[in-house]
Each structure stands twice: as C-alpha cells, then as structure tokens.
Amino acid sequence: MANIIDGKAVSAQVKEGIRQEVEKLKAKGIEIGLAVVIVGDDPASQVYVRNKEKACEAVGFNSYKYALPAETTEEELLALVDKLNNDDKVDGILVQLPLPKHLDDKMIINNIRPDKDVDAFHPVNVGKIMIGDYSFLPCTPAGVMELIKSTGTEVAGKECVVIGRSNIVGKPQAMLLLHENGTVTITHSKTKDLKEVCSRADILVAAVGRAKMVTADYIKEGAVVIDVGMNRDEEGKLCGDVDFEDCKEKAGYITPVPGGVGPMTIAMLMKNTLTAGLIHNS
Ligand code: NDP
C-alpha cells in the first residue's frame, strides 16, 4: 500500500508559515491585500473565489472581492484592473478564469501589472519561470513540488514524466522539475505509447483532465504519483486523472482527489501574495 500524501496537511503547514510572517509584518504596520475579481455566476468559479477569500482570512491578508455581472464589457473590466494596478492597498490581483466568452482572458491577464500577477499567468512571469529567475510561483505546479518535497524524495536525477502540456499546469510543472534537476519528459495527446513512457517515471505528474485514465499499468513500482486532475466520475463524484484504487498498491506515494493537489494551489497563491506584499514594502 502506497503512502498517501495529505495535501490538506501540507497546505495547512504552508499557510501557517504565511500566517506567522503576516503577523510579524502587521506588527510593523504592514498590511497585505489580495483583490479577487469574478465576472458572472459560474458555480465552480464562485466556490474557488470563496475558498480564496477564506484562505486570505486565515493567513491575515485583506481581501477585496469584485463580483461583476456576466454582461460586463471588456472596457469596464480593464478599467477595474487599471484601478487595482494603481491601488497601493492591493498587492495581488487575481482575475478568476474562465471569463465569460465575450471577454478575452489573455488580454485581461496581460493588463495586470506583473508585480501584482499572483497567479503568475502574465507573459513576463511565465518567461521568468522559464529562465528560473522568478518571484511568483506557478500555483498548481509549485503546490505539486511541495507535495513531492513532503515525501522526502529528491527530484535531482530522477525520471520525471508530466502528462499534459497546458500553459497553467503541464509546461510550468516540467520547468519546475527541470529546475530541480529532474530528467523530464512532457507527454500529451499525441505521445506514442504513453503507458510505456509513464512506466519509466520515478515521479509521475498527471494533469490531463480525463477521469481515472492512469491505471496501475502506467506506473513504476514505488513511484511518486501526483494527480492534478479534477474530474467527475460516472456517478458525478470528484475524481482525479489517476485511478487511485488501482494504483495505490503499486505506487510508493500517491495523492488522493480530493485532498491532494487542490488545497495546495490556494496555499501557493497565498505564498505569491505574501511575496508581492514583501516586494511592495521593501
Ligand atoms: P488542459 O485541457 O488545458 O490540458 C490537458 C492536457 O492533457 C493537454 O496537454 C492534452 O494534450 C493532454 N491530454 C489530453 N488527453 C490526453 C491523453 N489521452 N493522453 C495524453 N495526454 C492527454 O487541462 P489543464 O492542464 O488546465 O488541467 C488538467 C487537469 O487538472 C484538469 O482535470 C483540471 O481540472 C485540473 N486542474 C486542477 C487544478 C488544481 O488546483 N488541482 C488546477 C488546474 C487544473 P494536447 O495538448 O495534445 O491536447
């Protein structure tokens, strides 16, 4: 039976560290603020935003929520982003994605000041991640790195396979593993013999978006298996890209869904917001 990696516990530790830092800053009169912008009433986005607000409260940040109606125009949203860019109380700006179809996600993100882009989606921050000279961590991949670290596994020299090459997970994940000296293979929907490639991995990160696609025959005995996926199974229950029941005997370490990577993403967002606050107050 694999060791189950407890994302909630690791995330709680990270947030506690941030809370203590924030307390010290408050004693010096420094307050940190995160602005969260949500457009429309997508139920999943509402939940994410609520969780981000709760996390801000737990670590001691001021959070400013801007809930805009679905019919908000690009001009109106850009005006808000501009206002937040120039507001000294706001250290981090997060625009909850996806935006309604008539709004251009990329264009809006490109208008957030890079030093307030706590999601690390702005091209300047993406470029910095590529060259290994970054202030902001890509939240989900950075959360994955913390989970790997929590197992005591050294990434250096290990065969690492990432399934998925999206800009928000797969590609930055591969970069972070590479920065830690892993030997990294990025796979995707056109990869030939995915099973064989994955079964060489000492560390396997699945970020695909396909319920329970990764079965025991994809994994090497004793591997660290990290499941980023958030899908619904045939009964409508939340599940990952990894078939947990099938893989749990063979893996060395494995993350559950829920309770694995999910809680880490928000913890890393809090970490980036703290970093932004420290930059703005240095
Ligand atoms: P995308 O849809 O943007 O990317 C999916 C990737 O998987 C693509 O690169 C695609 O390849 C690849 N892929 C699809 N099918 C296959 C297949 N059969 N074999 C191999 N590769 C395949 O998804 P995201 O990266 O945004 O998200 C991935 C998952 O992670 C989703 O379930 C999402 O909900 C979850 N997620 C969870 C987060 C968390 O906090 N826990 C945060 C962000 C995402 P190709 O490029 O060739 O199309």
Side-chain angles (χ1 to χ4, degrees), residues 98-164:
L99 290 167
K101 286 203 168 44
H102 67 283
L103 297 168
D104 180 352
D105 290 11
K106 246 191 221 162
M107 196 271 283
I108 301 295
I109 298 300
N110 291 357
N111 276 278
I112 296 176
R113 247 172 63 177
D115 61 305
K116 293 193 177 191
D117 166 44
V118 286
D119 253 340
F121 289 165
H122 190 288
V124 165
N125 289 322
V126 173
K128 285 181 159 192
I129 291 160
M130 185 81 178
I131 59 173
D133 170 24
Y134 44 89
S135 318
F136 297 137
L137 305 154
C139 296
T140 301
V144 168
M145 297 308 286
E146 287 289 327
L147 293 178
I148 295 169
K149 202 165 89 187
S150 78
T151 69
T153 305
E154 269 279 328
V155 175
K158 295 280 166 30
E159 288 286 342
C160 306
V161 174
V162 180
I163 321 179

Side-chain angles (χ1 to χ4, degrees), residues 140 164-166 188-189 194 207-210 213 228-231 265:
T140 301
R165 56 174 163 181
S166 71
H188 46 77
S189 67
L194 183 66
V208 192
R210 288 180 178 248
M213 185 189 96
V228 180
M230 286 209 297
N231 317 295
T265 299

Side-chain angles (χ1 to χ4, degrees), residues 163-173 186 207:
I163 321 179
R165 56 174 163 181
S166 71
N167 289 329
I168 60 163
V169 191
K171 282 184 207 162
Q173 187 67 68
I186 307 176

Side-chain angles (χ1 to χ4, degrees), residues 48-69:
Y48 294 140
V49 166
R50 208 171 310 128
N51 289 341
K52 285 166 189 173
E53 283 184 293
K54 274 194 209 153
C56 280
E57 204 178 303
V59 300
F61 295 155
N62 299 320
S63 77
Y64 308 102
K65 180 179 167 187
Y66 294 84
L68 307 180

